Amino acid sequence: MNGPLISPDAISSLLRGLGVNTTYPRLRIAELIMTRREHLSAEQVFSIVNQTRPRVSRATVYNTLNLFVDRGLLQTVTSQAGVTLYDPNTEPHLHLHDLENDTLHDIPLQVLDGFPLENIASGFHVERIDLTLRVRKAEQATA
Ligand SMILES: [Zn+2]
């Protein structure tokens, strides 16, 4: 699931625009998350980033991902196993979790148009919706 290629210059200026100093690890991690457009754990990012040299430490990966969340470049979503996944789609959206291959797919929030949220959350302001549909292919769902 690769997104459009983003030039290193565009990534640099994006990070600078968010007030992030552009170090080598930050540029590598930003490039990775913005081209793959997947929901990756810190351990997955650590492993992929270190397929090429120079090596990036685990602490740097975690710190960089948290910095990117803090600056609004990523949001977090918790996997079924309780692992934090980093999501490059920072627009409000829902998830479809394909349990067969353990991948998350984004669903636009508009599918909830007409859903009576204001009745369900009466008296509250909805700040964020975390909704994940856990699915298997229909023909494999019944034993
Ligand atoms: Zn997502």
Side-chain angles (χ1 to χ4, degrees), residues 11-31:
I11 292 172
S12 287
S13 54
L14 175 73
L15 292 183
R16 284 195 304 270
L18 296 169
V20 174
N21 289 328
T22 52
T23 61
Y24 168 79
R26 289 172 180 174
L27 289 170
R28 280 279 292 129
I29 293 168
E31 179 189 25

Side-chain angles (χ1 to χ4, degrees), residues 33-48:
I33 59 177
M34 295 181 67
T35 54
R36 292 178 72 112
R37 307 295 299 172
E38 293 175 68
H39 304 77
L40 298 172
S41 69
E43 285 301 315
Q44 287 173 309
V45 171
F46 173 73
S47 158
I48 296 165

Side-chain angles (χ1 to χ4, degrees), residues 64-137:
T64 301
L65 290 169
N66 288 331
L67 174 68
F68 288 172
V69 170
D70 186 53
R71 299 302 163 92
L73 191 62
L74 290 173
Q75 66 173 329
T76 57
V77 55
T78 305
S79 79
Q80 189 176 28
V83 175
T84 297
L85 302 177
Y86 293 87
D87 188 345
N89 181 355
T90 55
E91 296 298 315
H93 64 281
L94 315 177
H95 289 111
L96 193 71
H97 181 187
D98 183 342
L99 295 168
E100 294 298 330
N101 51 26
D102 198 24
T103 51
L104 286 182
H105 304 278
D106 291 346
I107 305 172
L109 196 61
Q110 288 73 23
V111 299
L112 290 184
D113 283 356
F115 193 77
L117 270 183
E118 48 294 324
N119 297 345
I120 294 168
S122 176
F124 293 93
H125 169 72
V126 177
E127 293 206 345
R128 176 176 163 164
I129 298 172
D130 294 310
L131 177 60
T132 302
L133 304 177
R134 315 252 183 223
V135 299
R136 287 183 198 279
K137 285 223 166 62

